[in-house]
């Protein structure tokens, strides 16, 4: 069964004036009327995660659509299916989110859609679909709203963004729900704040689980991996407040999931970087260097296969249940420690590790400091609602420092991997092309190293202001 995918920018019209803007798009190229039923579980898990599952009935045909977040845009995966249940292709994408939850109708919309072409300099750059939507209450219209979907034609992304900006000036707003973090829990007791943070990371994991399974946008896997790491870091930072018989097994399972995600993500980053680097080689060198890329593609395929096996496992389901929305508050271990004190302790550990950094520090030393910077940053995020702006400034500085060391580590990993694959190829031309690529990675690594002292000085100053 085929699962089709499309990506669009969705804009909601907040004022009738927005309709006037469509007059400049020319005559409609298509007009349709269809009925859409929003589907969700009883606990509204799809809505909570920012996903949307609908069944569209048009001309007697039943089409199911799953909307996924896509960097400020909407990615829609669709498939034909029975009216009574989602098709297997979409059910497979939602198995981690829904688990054993049955789904049913939540709301029904009747939509009249007029599709027109948007042009720029005489060229079609986007298809603009105006929807007039009637939200039904039984057989009665409860209220009406309007929205626009802007879909690209070709690669004219810049023109499409200008079009969206013009529409927003005319009374529209782009709302996608994929950036919502919820209110900061200022004044929240430490244990409750830990629970809030874990809930946010669970929501991110579930939100990007279907996209990770689909595999068409590397950003899904990246966001899922970040959320997994954050959840693990929250549990680590909160150790003095938690019962280790509850928190440590959960940290271990998050580490397992993070490792499975990380193997694919690291290869995604490396492949994208090397692809850009190969573009700067001459034709003969580029042809030889593709042998290296083929080796990485094979490794990625194997890593992705292992990841999909992990996501289909009972172990993964048990992990999600442990982080579940309805889970009880984390058990408390008797302690007077506060979140600010925990963040201060992580910063102290970071300072100790960074104290001996110098021009001759090994790559392992820099990577070890990077890990501690991440821990200090995540602990500061946990404490920020009670500490305030000083902690938020520290978080920003820690992220910049962490990103710099991440660039260094990426260069180290890339160099090692290029050498390994070049040796396996056993071809002179491949070895020569690999040498050119290694030179670039060595330059990237040295450039990052040169910036480390200045970045650390800024982070240390913000740390002293935040934690004393």
């Amino acid at each position: 069964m085929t699962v089709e995918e499309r990506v669009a920018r969705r804009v909601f019209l907040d004022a009738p004036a927005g309709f006037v803007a469509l007059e400049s798009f020319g005559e409609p190229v298509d007009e349709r009327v269809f009925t859409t039923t929003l589907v969700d579980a009883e606990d509204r898990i799809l809505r909570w995660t920012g996903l949307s599952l609908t069944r569209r009935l048009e001309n007697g045909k039943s089409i199911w659509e799953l909307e996924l977040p896509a960097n400020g845009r909407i990615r829609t995966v669709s498939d034909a299916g029975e009216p009574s249940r989602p098709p297997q292709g979409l059910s497979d994408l939602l198995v981690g989110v829904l688990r054993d939850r049955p789904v049913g109708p939540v709301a029904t919309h009747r939509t009249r859609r007029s599709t027109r072409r948007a042009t720029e300099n005489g060229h079609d750059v986007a298809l603009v679909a105006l929807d007039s939507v009637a939200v039904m209450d039984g057989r009665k219209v409860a209220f009406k709203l309007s929205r626009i979907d802007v879909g690209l034609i070709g690669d004219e992304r810049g023109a499409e963004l200008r079009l969206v900006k013009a529409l927003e000036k005319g009374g529209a707003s782009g709302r996608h729900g994929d950036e919502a973090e919820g209110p900061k829990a200022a004044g929240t007791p430490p244990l409750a704040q830990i629970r809030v943070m874990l809930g946010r990371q669970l929501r991110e994991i579930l939100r990007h689980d279907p996209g990770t399974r689909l595999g068409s946008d590397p950003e899904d896997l990246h966001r899922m991996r970040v959320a997994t790491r954050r959840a693990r870091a929250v549990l680590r930072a909160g150790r003095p407040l938690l019962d280790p018989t509850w928190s440590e097994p959960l940290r271990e399972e998050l580490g397992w999931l993070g490792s499975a995600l990380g193997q694919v993500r690291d290869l995604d980053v490396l492949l994208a970087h090397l692809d850009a680097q190969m573009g700067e080689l001459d034709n003969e060198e580029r042809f030889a260097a593709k042998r290296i890329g083929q080796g990485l593609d094979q490794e990625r395929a194997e890593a992705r296969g292992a990841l999909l096996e992990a996501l289909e496992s009972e172990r993964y389901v048990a992990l999600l249940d442990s982080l579940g929305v309805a889970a009880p508050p984390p058990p408390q271990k008797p302690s007077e420690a506060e979140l600010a004190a925990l963040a201060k302790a992580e910063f102290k550990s970071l300072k100790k590790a960074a104290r001996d950094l110098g021009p001759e520090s090994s790559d392992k030393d820099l990577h070890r400091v990077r890990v501690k910077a991440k821990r200090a940053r995540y602990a500061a995020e946990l404490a920020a609602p009670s500490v305030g702006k000083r902690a938020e400034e520290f978080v920003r500085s820690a992220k910049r420092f962490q990103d710099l060391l991440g660039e260094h580590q990426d260069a180290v990993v890339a160099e090692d991997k290029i050498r390994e694959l070049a040796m396996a190829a056993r071809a002179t031309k491949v070895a020569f092309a690999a040498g050119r690529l290694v030179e670039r990675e060595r330059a990237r690594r040295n450039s990052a190293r040169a910036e480390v002292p200045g970045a650390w000085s800024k982070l240390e100053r913000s740390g002293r202001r935040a934690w004393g």
Side-chain angles (χ1 to χ4, degrees):
M1 185 174 292
T2 301
V3 177
E4 296 183 353
E5 182 181 5
R6 68 179 178 85
V7 179
R9 171 76 66 118
R10 176 156 296 166
V11 181
F12 291 81
L13 295 174
D14 293 327
F19 287 97
V20 179
L22 285 183
E23 294 179 357
S24 62
F25 298 147
E27 294 298 320
V29 296
D30 182 44
E31 290 190 332
R32 302 154 51 194
V33 177
F34 50 88
T35 300
T36 303
T37 300
L38 179 66
V39 176
D40 206 339
E42 186 176 353
D43 61 359
R44 303 295 185 266
I45 184 69
L46 295 178
R47 179 181 179 183
W48 183 73
T49 55
L51 304 173
S52 174
L53 178 63
T54 58
R55 177 175 62 84
R56 187 178 77 247
L57 186 62
E58 184 176 6
N59 297 326
K61 294 182 179 180
S62 179
I63 302 294
W64 289 79
E65 293 187 336
L66 173 63
E67 291 188 349
L68 308 174
N71 269 337
R73 306 172 78 197
I74 296 295
R75 189 160 79 257
T76 301
V77 184
S78 61
D79 203 357
E82 299 288 335
S84 58
R85 60 183 181 181
Q88 192 62 48
L90 297 188
S91 295
D92 289 344
L93 294 179
L94 288 171
V95 67
V97 180
L98 293 174
R99 270 98 87 202
D100 295 326
R101 296 174 175 89
V103 295
V106 174
T108 300
H109 309 151
R110 288 180 182 170
T111 303
R112 182 179 297 276
R113 171 169 291 181
S114 175
T115 303
R116 309 184 182 212
R117 292 184 183 274
T119 61
E120 186 175 72
N121 298 325
H123 298 285
D124 292 336
V125 295
L127 286 177
V128 181
L130 170 65
D131 289 347
S132 177
V133 183
V135 181
M136 309 303 294
D137 181 6
R139 295 187 176 183
K140 296 181 179 180
V141 177
F143 61 92
K144 293 183 178 182
L145 57 87
S146 300
R147 72 185 183 190
I148 285 179
D149 277 355
V150 182
L152 290 177
I153 295 176
D155 297 320
E156 300 291 338
R157 179 170 171 78
E160 181 256 358
L161 292 177
R162 290 193 291 276
L163 171 62
V164 169
K165 188 174 181 180
L167 285 169
E168 290 175 348
K169 284 185 177 180
S173 62
R175 297 195 295 271
H176 316 286
D178 57 322
E179 297 300 328
E181 274 293 314
K184 290 188 176 180
T188 304
L191 278 178
Q193 176 64 7
I194 289 173
R195 189 182 184 190
V196 167
M197 293 289 285
L198 290 176
R200 289 176 180 172
Q201 305 322 313
L202 171 63
R203 184 175 60 187
E204 281 293 293
I205 290 171
L206 294 180
R207 179 178 293 170
H208 296 284
D209 174 298
T212 298
R213 293 172 189 268
L214 187 62
S216 60
D217 187 349
E219 186 66 15
D220 281 306
L221 188 147
H222 171 57
R223 298 280 287 271
M224 188 174 178
R225 182 195 189 190
V226 168
T228 301
R229 284 181 163 184
R230 282 176 181 263
R232 192 164 185 260
V234 166
L235 291 172
R236 185 184 187 283
R239 271 176 175 170
L241 299 173
L242 302 173
D243 180 350
T245 62
W246 175 85
S247 61
E248 292 307 298
L250 184 53
R251 281 190 69 244
E252 183 177 341
E253 291 304 281
L254 287 166
W256 162 75
L257 176 59
S259 177
L261 293 164
Q263 290 181 36
V264 183
R265 173 59 183 172
D266 290 344
L267 287 167
D268 280 343
V269 171
L270 181 54
L271 278 164
H273 175 71
L274 289 184
D275 186 61
Q277 294 298 309
M278 287 180 192
E280 299 181 14
L281 300 177
D282 62 37
N283 289 337
E284 186 174 352
E285 291 173 342
R286 191 181 308 127
F287 180 80
K290 284 183 178 179
R291 293 274 298 275
I292 296 173
Q294 290 169 356
L296 290 175
D297 284 334
Q298 179 62 34
E299 284 192 29
R300 187 194 180 281
E302 294 173 0
R304 176 164 168 77
L307 171 60
L308 291 177
E309 285 186 15
L311 296 182
E312 295 292 338
S313 69
E314 293 183 2
R315 184 176 182 179
Y316 176 60
V317 172
L319 169 57
L320 294 179
D321 288 341
S322 297
L323 279 173
V325 186
Q332 184 171 8
K333 178 182 177 182
S335 174
E336 299 299 323
E338 296 290 336
L339 294 179
L342 299 178
K344 181 177 181 178
E346 291 290 356
F347 175 59
K348 184 177 180 180
S349 176
L350 170 61
K351 279 203 304 182
K352 183 177 180 181
R355 186 179 301 146
D356 297 329
L357 284 184
E360 302 304 319
S361 295
S362 68
D363 296 332
K364 289 184 178 180
D365 289 337
L366 288 173
H367 183 58
R368 184 162 49 248
V369 170
R370 179 194 178 205
V371 171
K372 288 185 176 293
K374 282 186 180 180
R375 291 173 178 173
R377 172 191 166 193
Y378 292 151
E381 288 179 346
L382 194 60
S386 57
V387 176
K389 291 183 178 180
R390 291 174 293 126
E392 293 172 1
E393 180 186 342
F394 176 81
V395 169
R396 288 191 292 270
S397 297
K399 185 178 186 307
R400 287 191 291 269
F401 183 67
Q402 173 189 325
D403 289 346
L404 179 63
L405 291 179
E407 183 76 7
H408 176 272
Q409 181 64 14
D410 286 348
V412 171
V413 171
E415 180 179 337
D416 290 344
K417 183 59 67 175
I418 292 168
R419 291 183 185 278
E420 174 189 329
L421 293 171
M423 290 181 64
R426 296 182 179 180
T428 303
K429 289 184 178 180
V430 174
F432 184 78
R436 293 286 305 277
L437 292 172
V438 164
E439 287 176 3
R440 293 173 180 271
E441 296 310 314
R442 183 61 60 87
R444 180 164 68 128
R445 176 178 138 189
N446 292 340
S447 175
R449 273 180 171 267
E451 295 182 43
V452 167
W456 167 245
S457 295
K458 292 180 181 178
L459 177 57
E460 187 178 27
R461 285 197 299 272
S462 66
R464 287 199 300 267
R465 286 192 292 267
W467 319 117

